[in-house]
Amino acid sequence: MRFIKFNDQQVDSFLFMELSDLAKGLTKDAEIEVDYSVLSYLDPIERKIFMSHFWDHREKNETSDALKSDIYLRSLGNFFYTDYREIDVFLKKIQEYKLKGLAKQLCMLFEDIRLEDLCKEQRPGTKKAFGVRRQLYRKHFKSQLVIHQERSLLTDALFNYLYLKITADSLTEDLPVLHENLERALPFIETKLFSIYDATSTKDIINIVLDLLEVLEEILEKDMLNTYFYLPELSYGEFMGDSLFDEMKRKSKLKNSDELKDAKTGEEDVHEDKLPTYHRETSKPTQSFLQFDLEQGTNTSLIGEGTVREGEDTDQALAIVQGTSKKAEKNDYSKLEALENKSEERSASGENVYGKENKYAIPIFKEAETPKAFDVEEYKMMKKQILLYQNKLKLMIQKTLEHKRTMPRSDLHIGRLNKKLLRLLTDNNPKLFYKKQEKSKEMDAVFSLLVDCSASMFDKMEQTKLGITLFHETLKSVRVPHQIVGFWEDTNDVTKTRQPNYFHTVVSFKSSLQTSSGPEIMQLSPEEDNRDGYAIRHMTKQLMNRTEKQKFLLVFSDGEPAATGYERNGIIDTHEAVLEARKMGIEVINVFLSTSEIEEATKNTIQNIYGKYSVFVDKIEELPEQLFPLLKRLLLKTI
């Protein structure tokens, strides 16, 4: 497995998950994504928020607050209050400007300041994060201003100066003197600058920037060299175009795309007033009593080209009949409907079932082969090594079951009334009840062992097989059904739209209790990458098909998830898969394998994914000894 690193720095996975959840909560959009970039911005087309690497290599609390400020600005600010249609017009307008870079950065800076005030007004709890953000930026821009003046980078120096001026706590703050040409224009620049706090929209901000550019284009010769705030040039116009139509943007297609071509045309009284209606295509219900199931209707050409037909008294009734009617006698559109919706239904039924990060993952299930002679011999040797632990566990389970069967069933607080009622007078807390003897409870449990078969397991696989043998033989001896599955992603066959993931079932539920089962475990071997969240969801689905009361999923791994396009979001996806399984009543436990002392950062990452249900084995050769108490605890829980 590989650790996720950006700029040679390992990412705090827990903080990343926290920020991702924060963005989804603030935007109320479960599909919004969070990622890292050189600079922070919102991509409204891809629905993605980028946090800046500018906050790296700082104190932990400062980094956390600064990254949160990025999330606040993009989730509370840009997502709701930035008009990207105006941004699109602005970007087209400045294409011929000499100071195009300065224009974009001023627009982004001024918009951020406007949105910052909105965020603090709506969410006072964001003030601390924005305070840290401003403090770090001011410290950086002060040093940059001196450097740019020394190097005669006037445009960059002016930008630094403007940030310091607009964020100053006092109007009399002492700032370095700029170039002579800039000093003469400063009164006008500062007047426009402070009008930002009166801006109420993105359009107001853009007007301020354009007014400034008219003056600065004559004074400055070169555009900005550095980029501090990033405004991406995207196709905002095309993206925002459909939203111009009031309540006419559909989220899904009509089930029928057929048209009533031979409708009568003629004169008809047309009214401009809107008549609100409600049907399954509208997002919000209205006060209107008119409710149509328009998904089942027929497209007509009543409004649009040429003349329109004369209205009829029965039009309203026809609309209702069309909306709720059964199969038409004249025209059969069933085949057309089936063809159009076949792919949509398929995608809707399977969309994100295994996580949105795994939409191109394809499961390939591989059955165990017949064990070869040397596999059988090797397995016999492993059985001898774990025999002591197996016998201890088996004896412990048998004694516990026997104790439960023969434990006292009299002198209880509830049950059947005993004949010895004198204790009602003599004892302070009399136990006057008893219960009939009953058989001990059976172990109503099932286990699934998921084994990471990534390439990094090459130096741990043999000892891992030993630990898995202990599980298999012990569970088999106490008659608890289980399965053992190795998983990996085949890197060599991966494409942009196809990611084959193998599930090698060496011991199935059906064969787990058979006397001869076990040597198949020797077929597990290190392969390629690992997509943990995807594998956990598949095992969850299989466990949910079982009837046992208690279900356990043990994941044997040696690091973080790592697969094609999975490095950045693999931790979050795996964490979500674990949470989903636990919500369904499955206990998910991770057994982390290592050949050396495990770093604290690695422990934190694994615990962020699995919580407190993690067992860390820093000496792989001691795996059976460390698995013994875990297996003991789990088996006792099932009794």
Side-chain angles (χ1 to χ4, degrees), residues 45-99:
I45 300 175
E46 296 295 331
R47 307 181 78 77
K48 206 166 191 177
I49 293 173
F50 290 93
M51 301 178 294
S52 175
H53 280 305
F54 178 76
W55 313 118
D56 294 346
H57 308 292
R58 302 179 188 276
E59 294 293 330
K60 185 176 180 180
N61 292 337
E62 289 181 342
T63 299
S64 176
D65 286 331
L67 289 172
K68 286 178 181 177
S69 71
D70 278 349
I71 296 295
Y72 295 145
L73 276 177
R74 310 306 161 218
S75 300
L76 284 174
N78 292 133
F79 192 85
F80 292 105
Y81 297 107
T82 295
D83 189 341
Y84 284 99
R85 287 171 293 188
E86 294 293 339
I87 294 291
D88 186 64
V89 174
F90 170 73
L91 290 173
K92 291 176 181 176
K93 188 175 293 186
I94 64 171
Q95 290 302 316
E96 304 302 324
Y97 277 63
K98 176 176 61 177
L99 304 177

Side-chain angles (χ1 to χ4, degrees), residues 132-183:
V132 172
R133 179 188 187 87
R134 184 163 293 191
Q135 178 186 352
L136 295 176
Y137 263 141
R138 284 185 60 81
K139 181 179 179 181
H140 178 68
F141 282 128
K142 280 182 179 179
S143 62
Q144 289 290 295
L145 176 55
V146 174
I147 294 172
H148 293 149
Q149 282 187 308
E150 292 175 353
R151 297 178 179 177
S152 298
L153 298 173
L154 297 185
T155 309
D156 291 71
L158 174 63
F159 186 86
N160 301 146
Y161 178 90
L162 294 179
Y163 181 88
L164 294 172
K165 194 70 177 177
I166 200 172
T167 59
D169 294 328
S170 171
L171 294 175
T172 59
E173 181 178 358
D174 186 25
L175 293 174
V177 178
L178 294 173
H179 191 270
E180 181 180 353
N181 293 340
L182 290 172
E183 287 291 333

Side-chain angles (χ1 to χ4, degrees), residues 434-449:
Y434 74 97
K435 290 185 179 180
K436 287 186 175 182
Q437 289 286 355
E438 62 181 11
K439 294 182 179 180
S440 170
K441 295 180 180 178
E442 296 295 330
M443 298 178 66
D444 189 17
V446 62
F447 283 75
S448 184
L449 276 63

Side-chain angles (χ1 to χ4, degrees), residues 1-2 35 51 122 227 266 296 324-325 350 357 375 454 514 518 520 546 597:
M1 288 190 175
R2 300 186 296 273
D35 208 340
M51 301 178 294
Q122 292 184 7
T227 303
Q296 303 292 340
T324 59
S325 64
E357 300 298 330
D375 287 335
S454 60
Q514 294 177 3
E520 295 86 356
R546 301 288 301 184
E597 185 177 353

Side-chain angles (χ1 to χ4, degrees), residues 311-349:
E312 298 177 4
D313 295 337
T314 57
D315 282 352
Q316 182 62 57
L318 283 174
I320 296 175
V321 171
Q322 284 184 353
T324 59
S325 64
K326 297 181 179 180
K327 181 178 178 181
E329 295 179 0
K330 183 177 180 180
N331 297 319
D332 181 9
Y333 294 110
S334 58
K335 293 182 179 180
L336 179 63
E337 178 180 340
L339 287 173
E340 183 170 348
N341 291 319
K342 186 175 181 181
S343 59
E344 290 184 9
E345 290 175 0
R346 188 190 299 116
S347 60
S349 62

